[in-house]
Amino acid sequence: MRIGITCYPTYGGSGVVATELGIELAALGHEIHFISYSQPFRLSGRETGICYHEVPVSNYPLFEFPPYDLALASRMAEVAEYYGLDLLHVHYAIPHSVSALLARQMLAARSRHLPFVTTLHGTDITLVGMDHSYLPITQYAIQQSDGVTSISGWLRDKTVENFSITRSIEVIHNFVNCDQYQPIRDAAQRAAMRARFASPDEFLLMHLSNFRPVKRVVDVVQTFARIARQLPARLALIGDGPDRSTAEWLAHSLGIHDRIHFLGKQDRVHDLLPLADLLLMPSENESFGLAALESMACQTPAIATHVGGVPELITHDHDGLLFPIGDVDGMAAAAVSLLQDSERHMAMRQAARKTAQDRFCSTRIIPRYVDFYHSLVG
Ligand code: GMT
């Protein structure tokens, strides 16, 4: 099939899922066309079967707010026509599904059918979409999509509830490539890579996010501070965003900044996640928790919050640990007790990897998308 994919190309779970989906589909022989304002950050530009089409946005002085959604719709229609696309798959409803709807209408006027799939990821439904200025048009575009998927059952139910959606929504969970995301089996190699962040007698905790308020990065630092009082430990934070300076300030105020590595944005997170003993994901909300899944595939279980779709991924006390939002004392105590019990820790590490492989590996999830496309294209 020839598939157009639109996503936010910068940091964020929806862009990661869209890009990895395109890479996996191209590896299966499909022709993939990314249409966005810049190249998605996980694409090297050298992948076989993948083209990238930039959306130029005119910044004519009259436009105080350049109309990206219109430029995107035009580019979608052009690419669909020139490259014979079978369908468009847009990730994150706002504004992508509205642009796809316009592109479909433009082509319909020329008797060309271009179905589109909208995948809902999280804040497009729980935060941005709830803003009244976006709610009616988001609701309309979801209803008008040829197919809608949601990355968790929880998010599907929220969408139906918040937007009074009457159409069907297919749940297709986030996925991970378990060959790329895997533990480092060679102990000497792992020890050498880990030495950059912690000495052999220190535990290494990690966090991976876009440092938005919903991620509660302050809770990561607070939890780590409590752990570091009881155990020799270091923390590596991957990512960047609005709350990074607050986290840095807190680390200094608590006198633990010399135990914390702020790594900023990293492309090769699969090289870092296997080095950690635990991942901390104390989010306010998480419609699935892709960072935890990627970590689990690397045999690094997560201590997370019992929110949104996270319980669809993590089973408490089996392949990870779940706590109420803000329970930094509980998370720290659980981390200390787990890290001190190497047998239990190893069992949880193995269970985490098994969950990723058995339920969320790309080899299981990608065929679901392909089947879904076929059901629309016929
Ligand atoms: O985490 C974010 O705020 C980014 C957001 C996005 O849409 O880019 O991530 C969401 O999509 C991910 C991939 O589907 C999910 O795994 C995340 O749980 C979800 N984030 C939230 O719901 C906060």
Side-chain angles (χ1 to χ4, degrees):
M1 295 171 99
R2 294 193 182 118
I3 303 159
I5 296 183
T6 289
C7 62
Y8 282 105
T10 49
Y11 254 51
S14 58
V16 171
V17 169
T19 310
E20 300 286 356
L21 175 62
I23 292 170
E24 298 280 345
L25 289 168
L28 292 174
H30 300 283
E31 187 179 301
I32 305 302
H33 295 262
F34 279 94
I35 309 167
S36 190
Y37 59 82
S38 74
Q39 180 161 293
F41 76 95
R42 281 200 185 178
L43 271 191
S44 70
R46 294 184 298 276
E47 291 87 356
T48 308
I50 298 184
C51 288
Y52 161 61
H53 307 269
E54 190 153 307
V55 180
V57 188
S58 158
N59 60 353
Y60 187 63
L62 190 63
F63 297 155
E64 192 175 340
F65 308 104
Y68 172 65
D69 26 20
L70 300 185
L72 176 61
S74 295
R75 196 77 185 113
M76 283 170 161
E78 273 175 4
V79 172
E81 192 159 15
Y82 299 159
Y83 295 87
L85 298 190
D86 295 303
L87 88 157
L88 283 174
H89 187 171
V90 301
H91 293 259
Y92 207 90
I94 305 166
H96 302 146
S97 55
V98 179
S99 302
L101 180 55
L102 278 175
R104 187 181 73 186
Q105 284 177 355
M106 286 164 73
L107 290 175
R110 296 204 282 278
S111 306
R112 167 114 165 56
H113 181 50
L114 179 69
F116 76 94
V117 175
T118 299
T119 289
L120 311 170
H121 281 272
T123 49
D124 46 351
I125 297 304
T126 55
L127 284 178
V128 190
M130 293 310 291
D131 181 323
H132 193 73
S133 46
Y134 299 117
L135 195 146
I137 192 132
T138 308
Q139 180 190 48
Y140 181 67
I142 292 171
Q143 288 281 57
Q144 293 298 316
S145 302
D146 294 275
V148 180
T149 76
S150 153
I151 53 109
S152 66
W154 176 86
L155 185 63
R156 177 202 50 205
D157 296 347
K158 270 277 157 229
T159 309
V160 169
E161 185 188 317
N162 291 354
F163 292 86
S164 311
I165 296 295
T166 49
R167 56 158 309 134
S168 69
I169 299 176
E170 179 97 350
V171 175
I172 305 184
H173 285 120
N174 282 175
F175 59 88
V176 65
N177 184 319
C178 293
D179 293 332
Q180 192 180 23
Y181 286 75
Q182 59 166 307
I184 302 168
R185 309 271 176 206
D186 182 333
Q189 188 195 355
R190 181 172 185 266
M193 290 170 73
R194 196 178 183 277
R196 200 179 132 203
F197 305 110
S199 59
D201 60 328
E202 288 173 323
F203 293 105
L204 179 60
L205 291 104
M206 254 181 212
H207 172 74
L208 163 63
S209 80
N210 49 26
F211 285 55
R212 299 215 177 107
V214 71
K215 303 294 177 183
R216 294 182 73 103
V217 186
V218 162
D219 284 6
V220 175
V221 177
Q222 289 286 12
T223 303
F224 175 71
R226 286 158 174 74
I227 296 169
R229 264 183 232 140
Q230 299 174 65
L231 293 175
R234 302 256 175 189
L235 171 67
L237 294 144
I238 308 169
D240 212 327
D243 281 354
R244 175 167 168 176
S245 62
T246 312
E248 284 172 331
W249 169 83
L250 182 63
H252 277 267
S253 312
L254 296 172
I256 51 170
H257 55 283
D258 56 341
R259 324 220 107 250
I260 302 183
H261 306 274
F262 284 90
L263 303 180
K265 293 179 180 177
Q266 298 285 324
D267 288 338
R268 297 178 60 87
V269 292
H270 53 278
D271 287 340
L272 299 170
L273 292 168
L275 306 177
D277 297 297
L278 282 176
L279 182 91
L280 298 177
M281 193 180 73
S283 306
E284 181 91 31
N285 194 20
E286 207 61 71
S287 48
F288 182 83
L290 179 63
L293 172 59
E294 292 182 334
S295 178
M296 289 164 73
C298 297
Q299 225 175 60
T300 303
I303 295 198
T305 35
H306 193 288
V307 291
V310 177
E312 293 172 45
L313 167 66
I314 297 175
T315 305
H316 179 66
D317 215 13
H318 169 63
D319 49 19
L321 294 161
L322 297 177
F323 288 84
I325 300 167
D327 186 6
V328 291
D329 289 327
M331 288 188 271
V336 169
S337 136
L338 181 67
L339 293 172
Q340 285 177 324
D341 184 343
S342 56
E343 211 170 297
R344 187 172 155 240
H345 185 210
M346 182 46 79
M348 195 173 281
R349 272 182 173 285
Q350 287 168 346
R353 166 88 183 155
K354 190 165 165 25
T355 296
Q357 280 183 307
D358 292 355
R359 297 182 50 215
F360 303 106
C361 187
S362 47
T363 51
R364 289 175 192 280
I365 305 287
I366 301 301
R368 301 231 10 239
Y369 277 114
V370 175
D371 289 348
F372 193 66
Y373 297 157
H374 279 298
S375 73
L376 301 177
V377 173

